[in-house]
């Protein structure tokens, strides 16, 4: 296989060449500890400061509001744990039905009573058939016992955007902390956190062309915070552990590039995504888009090819060097569609044939044309041999 056509950027992204270049000195001569008192360490600390400013510029917040972490998952865990520590008398957590496991599984454990905490009441807000949040149900769920609301900004499977401003405003009126998992949204939608009622926000470097193993948590000034990783005084006593300087510098550079490329996301990347989506819908019958087509990330489309097994499509695309993702979890042997598609009520035959295409600024029109040439015949061939007939029973949909 000579070249890969990579359409799985919601899973991870290529490290940008500029990012790789920026981090290299910190794997070489600039190896000092940013906490050291000597000039050598101080030099390195200046680059951590710069990275914080670059990220703050992308988010539209103050650099002091950023805590560097090891990944999006840590940021999500830290935000929720902090809220519970800071509001020990409240025992209700509100989230959505379509969160990433980094939030979903934390909430599930809280519901069972974990880490010495008594069981929390957990409310999962439903979504409609287009993946949009039921805001009325959310408002109804808010009460005096709510310690934190953790609802994502953009869904990783469908790209559907949630109304974070409305959610945050409703929380603020009631003095409830609002955390949003913005791992998929950062770098793809413009953000001005200083003007938004968001108390905490998680992001991850490897979704925006930095390497894996670095993330950040935004904590709005004045928000009560209790550290999750306890140790030294790093990150202004909010996250212990010697800073991973190369990765932090990389995240800073990636944020700078992302800010510069924001316009391209909404024009160039969205146009390629739309071309791909239209081409696939036009060329094949029984294809449908999962998720609201407008309130969506510019880089994502989730398309169901009915009566075909998604993982079979992925394997055949793979033979052409095309990387995408599927919305069913057949690797578990359960034939269970993803919790996101189930929450949207996507029919069994469609959920099983769902493919997520997620693009980046590095994709080209030529690549999209190649996919449009290759995929429709694959779908036709798979339909011919599919064990899923049009009369399949939805018994296994769960
Ligand atoms: N939240 C969302 C919405 C994600 O898509 C992901 C990763 O796929 C994460 C959290 C976890 O991020 P990380 O891989 O950096 O832990």
């Amino acid at each position: 296989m000579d070249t890969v056509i990579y359409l799985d950027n919601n899973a991870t992204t290529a490290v940008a060449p500029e990012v790789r270049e920026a981090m290299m000195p910190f794997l070489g001569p600039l190896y000092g500890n940013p906490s050291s008192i000597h000039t050598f360490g101080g030099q390195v600390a200046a680059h951590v400061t710069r990275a914080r400013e670059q990220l703050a510029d992308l988010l539209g917040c103050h650099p002091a509001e950023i805590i560097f972490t090891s990944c999006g998952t840590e940021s999500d865990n830290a935000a929720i744990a902090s809220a519970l520590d800071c509001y020990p008398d409240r025992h209700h957590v509100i989230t959505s039905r379509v969160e990433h496991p980094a939030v979903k599984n934390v909430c599930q454990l809280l519901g069972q009573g974990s880490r010495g905490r008594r069981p929390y009441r957990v409310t999962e807000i439903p979504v409609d058939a287009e993946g949009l949040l039921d805001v009325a149900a959310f408002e109804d769920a808010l009460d005096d016992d709510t310690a934190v609301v953790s609802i994502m900004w953009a869904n990783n499977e469908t790209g559907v955007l949630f109304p974070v401003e409305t959610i945050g405003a409703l929380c603020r009126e009631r003095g409830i902390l609002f955390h949003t998992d913005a791992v998929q949204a950062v770098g793809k939608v413009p953000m001005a956190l200083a003007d938004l009622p968001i108390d905490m926000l998680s992001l991850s470097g490897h979704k925006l062309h930095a390497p894996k193993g670095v993330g950040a948590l935004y904590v709005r000034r004045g928000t009560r915070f209790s550290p999750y990783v306890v140790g030294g005084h790093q990150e202004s006593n909010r996250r212990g552990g010697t800073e991973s300087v190369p990765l932090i510098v990389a995240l800073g550079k990636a944020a700078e590039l992302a800010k510069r490329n924001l316009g391209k996301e909404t024009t160039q990347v969205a146009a390629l995504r739309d071309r791909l989506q239209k081409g696939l819908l036009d060329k094949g019958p029984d294809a449908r888009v999962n998720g609201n087509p407008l309130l969506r990330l510019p880089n994502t489309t989730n398309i169901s090819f009915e009566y075909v097994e998604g993982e079979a499509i992925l394997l055949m695309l793979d033979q052409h060097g095309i990387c995408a993702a599927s919305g069913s979890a057949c690797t578990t042997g359960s034939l269970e569609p993803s919790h996101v598609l189930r929450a949207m009520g996507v029919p069994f035959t469609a959920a099983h044939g769902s493919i997520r295409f997620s693009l980046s600024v590095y994709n080209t029109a030529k690549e999209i044309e190649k996919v449009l040439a290759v995929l429709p015949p694959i779908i036709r061939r798979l339909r011919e041999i599919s064990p899923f007939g049009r009369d399949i029973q939805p018994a296994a949909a769960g």
Side-chain angles (χ1 to χ4, degrees), residues 124-163:
E124 286 191 348
I125 306 300
V127 296
D128 69 11
E130 292 197 326
L132 299 173
L133 193 80
D134 184 340
V135 177
F138 168 68
E139 194 168 355
D140 280 351
L142 291 165
D143 61 22
D144 292 345
D145 196 34
T146 309
V148 65
V149 167
S150 182
I151 291 184
M152 67 201 329
W153 191 317
N155 186 268
N156 44 302
E157 292 190 29
T158 60
V160 170
L161 299 166
F162 282 169

Side-chain angles (χ1 to χ4, degrees), residues 225-243:
F225 187 75
S226 161
Y228 182 67
V229 177
V230 177
H233 60 268
Q234 292 89 353
E235 297 298 287
S236 305
N237 292 311
R238 293 171 303 177
R239 199 253 185 194
T242 302
E243 299 89 339

Side-chain angles (χ1 to χ4, degrees), residues 10-11 71-73 76 100 102 152 154 156 181 183-184 204 206-207:
N10 287 9
C71 58
T73 301
D76 285 339
H100 185 274
M152 67 201 329
N156 44 302
D181 176 340
V183 164
Q184 295 294 345
S204 173
H206 76 103
K207 310 289 185 181

